[in-house]
Amino acid sequence: MKSLAWALGAAVAIGLSTGATFAADTTLRISLQLPLKSHLGQNLLLFKEEVESKSGGEIAVEIYDSAQLYKDKEVPAAVGSGAIEMGVASLTRYVGDIPAVDIFYQPFLFDTEEKVRAAVAPGSPVRGPLDEAIKDTGSTVLWWQAYGGAIMLSKDGPLKTPADMQGKKVRVFGKTLGDFVTSAGGAPTLISGSEQYLAYQRGTVDIGMTGVSGVKSRKLWEVMDTISVTNHADIEFIVVVNTDFWEGLPDGHKAIIQAAAVKAEDDVRNRMSEIEAAAYAAAEENGMTVYKPTAEEIEAWRAVSQPVYDTYAEKAGDLGKKVMDAARGL
């Protein structure tokens, strides 16, 4: 089934549920900011195939990729209000309502795959309380989508230590990542994923920050030439459904959707290392330099990070303390 979903490819982006929609009792429209060819888009195709086949056409899934309907920052409000049934958003887009979600952006906190997997497991003492808190926004989390470690992009040389960031403008995709940049001497600029290519092309920022899979899906090698593999944060996306819509679904439809969500979550998590390796290879094939900081250089980045932890403790409240204690116990 997985290979079938992957084989559908980007060519089916338009009219994804043509034919199924007419017979469907339930239609799920999903907003995605990334291209369908991205691994998050392919993951949604796997979900779509599973739901539509298992429901015998009673449930249709329509995927609107590349921010056709909503930008990443608009997804929480769009889904929470019921303007659209489902959406994919970076977890940090909920930081305004739930500051504790930025636990995953505390510098170098989740520095091994084992710690990441333990933290993001459904019902874990880190993820569980965050999923519950998100329900207060009008949305229910269906599954988490792994996006890998945060890396930095630059031109004309790597970022080895914070000294290389001094006075530079840096694209970030969350307030806490902005705090990290500030602590390292840079100037953070919040830019949506769908807008970062132009930001690099136009020189709006000097340095980029993203997941390496985004370098491949967005062809960022056309506008940046160096990757610094800092892995200073764990990037997670979540797939959410409007809670009122969800609660109104027949139990049988819920069961099919939940089972497909579990399959999709397991698939993307288990392939993350492979996805990142392929993205690094593609970057090098397209002329990028991939630089891996030494242990001493990583320690220099760690050394400037304490203010980020202090700010998180101040803003994230009791929930933040709860998930931080859990994270440190992994």
Side-chain angles (χ1 to χ4, degrees):
M1 190 69 69
K2 178 176 72 175
S3 60
L4 175 60
W6 273 75
L8 289 173
V12 297
I14 305 237
L16 278 168
S17 20
T18 300
T21 304
F22 298 107
D25 297 323
T26 297
T27 298
L28 304 176
R29 295 172 301 154
I30 309 176
S31 177
L32 172 68
Q33 66 147 327
L34 288 150
L36 198 64
K37 65 184 177 182
S38 69
H39 80 269
L40 297 193
Q42 294 295 308
N43 189 242
L44 292 185
L45 283 175
L46 172 61
F47 171 78
K48 169 185 168 66
E49 171 64 23
E50 190 73 8
V51 166
E52 292 183 346
S53 63
K54 289 297 194 298
S55 70
E58 290 184 4
I59 307 173
V61 178
E62 299 175 359
I63 304 168
Y64 296 87
D65 66 307
S66 300
Q68 293 178 56
L69 298 183
Y70 302 101
K71 295 177 182 177
D72 185 46
K73 63 185 178 183
E74 299 168 335
V75 169
V79 176
S81 69
I84 191 169
E85 292 80 31
M86 291 176 59
V88 179
S90 174
L91 179 63
T92 190
R93 289 303 182 186
Y94 285 87
V95 73
D97 294 313
I98 311 161
V101 297
D102 268 5
I103 185 71
F104 288 92
Y105 289 170
Q106 300 308 294
F108 308 102
L109 179 60
F110 300 101
D111 54 2
T112 66
E113 183 178 356
E114 290 73 23
K115 288 181 181 179
V116 170
R117 281 181 171 270
V120 303
S124 81
V126 177
R127 171 179 167 176
L130 299 180
D131 281 357
E132 282 299 313
I134 288 171
K135 289 181 180 178
D136 291 336
T137 70
S139 295
T140 296
V141 177
L142 284 180
W143 79 95
W144 286 38
Q145 291 180 308
Y147 202 72
I151 52 93
M152 289 191 273
L153 306 174
S154 55
K155 293 180 181 178
D156 304 321
L159 298 162
K160 295 183 177 182
T161 69
D164 297 320
M165 190 180 279
Q166 291 290 321
K168 301 288 182 62
K169 293 176 291 183
V170 185
R171 179 260 169 165
V172 296
F173 47 94
K175 178 65 169 63
T176 297
L177 292 175
D179 292 340
F180 173 63
V181 168
T182 299
S183 71
T189 303
L190 191 63
I191 296 173
S192 292
S194 57
E195 299 173 332
Q196 63 177 314
Y197 185 101
L198 284 178
Y200 304 148
Q201 186 180 55
R202 294 171 177 173
T204 305
V205 292
D206 307 300
I207 295 168
M209 192 181 294
T210 187
V212 71
S213 65
V215 175
K216 180 180 179 181
S217 65
R218 299 186 189 281
K219 298 183 178 179
L220 297 181
W221 48 68
E222 296 177 354
V223 288
M224 290 296 211
D225 60 30
T226 305
I227 297 174
S228 297
V229 189
T230 48
N231 285 330
H232 53 281
D234 173 52
I235 308 171
E236 298 290 335
F237 281 73
I238 55 174
V239 184
V240 291
V241 60
N242 175 267
T243 299
D244 290 341
F245 172 82
W246 175 248
E247 292 178 348
L249 289 177
D251 288 343
H253 284 189
K254 282 185 185 177
I256 290 169
I257 293 167
Q258 286 176 320
V262 169
K263 183 170 184 176
E265 178 161 343
D266 288 346
D267 181 77
V268 70
R269 184 71 56 186
N270 291 336
R271 288 190 303 102
M272 198 61 238
S273 294
E274 171 191 331
I275 289 166
E276 288 193 307
Y280 280 118
E284 290 184 315
E285 288 168 7
N286 283 276
M288 295 193 86
T289 297
V290 176
Y291 179 76
K292 296 182 179 180
T294 66
E296 292 77 14
E297 288 167 346
I298 290 295
E299 280 306 310
W301 289 106
R302 287 180 182 271
V304 301
S305 299
Q306 187 56 47
V308 183
Y309 283 83
D310 295 340
T311 299
Y312 179 82
E314 292 169 9
K315 293 183 176 180
D318 291 341
L319 179 58
K321 183 180 186 306
K322 180 178 181 179
V323 297
M324 177 62 80
D325 288 346
R328 284 176 167 156
L330 295 177

